[in-house]
Amino acid sequence: MPVKELIELCRSRGIMVAVDGAHAVGQVPLNLDELDVDFYAGSLHKWLFTARGCGFLYISPRHQSALHPVVTSWGYNSGNMHAEFHQEGTRDQTPYFTVPEAIRFFKSLGGLESIRNYCMPLIDKAAELVVNRWGTEKLAIPSDMEAPYMRCVRVPFIEGYHGQQGGDARFHTEIFYHSKIQISSTTLDGSDIWCRFSASVFNKPEDYEELAAGGMKVIRGELANDVVMMKSHTFSQSKVC
């Protein structure tokens, strides 16, 4: 998205801007000083390889004195925003300790440019493969606004899935259980199911061959028509696309 242009437009009209940049860090170059945004929230576990539950909230210096945590705890009334937010009750702080090592790992892979040079061609080829196998199309997003490592492909009509409550969740659950592949699916416009998948440094072209084939088994009705009960150990054996 043209975030910087949108921020400038809002600022010119006296509107404060909060950006949900959950998927930005590790996918796109990010310079908060250049954006000059009021608030920016980002996740680090998605593309920077930290532990889950690790993210950040940037607050422009012009707003820091006016904001306080919802939970009143250590650092209250200290006059220091960082002290107030640093320790909120008994919240688990351990995910944040993975950030330095995650950054070192990220750099060891060659940094953002090298990772983008691997993931972007991979996801383009993967989307083309899935579209051709399923006979559908990608979500109509201008190419310059697509997330670098993520694509959405429409799922062909499946009796018992489309138009049914929970049909989208059932689609990705069946793929996960039978093919050990983790994707996301959601219903748009109340009918169409869209499959969202991504590319990371641990993915290979063969992963998307398996995704396309696993999806076709669901589409053709080749899998058991039952409620799937997933066991916890299958998560450790699965691939994330």
Side-chain angles (χ1 to χ4, degrees), residues 25 32-33 57 70 75 83 111 135 160 169 173 207-208:
V25 179
L32 294 174
D33 289 331
L57 171 64
V70 174
T173 299
D207 295 335
Y208 305 97

Side-chain angles (χ1 to χ4, degrees), residues 115-141:
I115 294 172
R116 282 167 64 95
N117 287 342
Y118 178 78
C119 293
M120 292 172 68
L122 179 60
I123 196 62
D124 283 335
K125 292 178 181 178
E128 182 180 3
L129 169 69
V130 174
V131 164
N132 289 336
R133 294 285 181 83
W134 293 358
T136 58
E137 69 279 337
K138 290 194 308 177
L139 189 62
I141 302 173

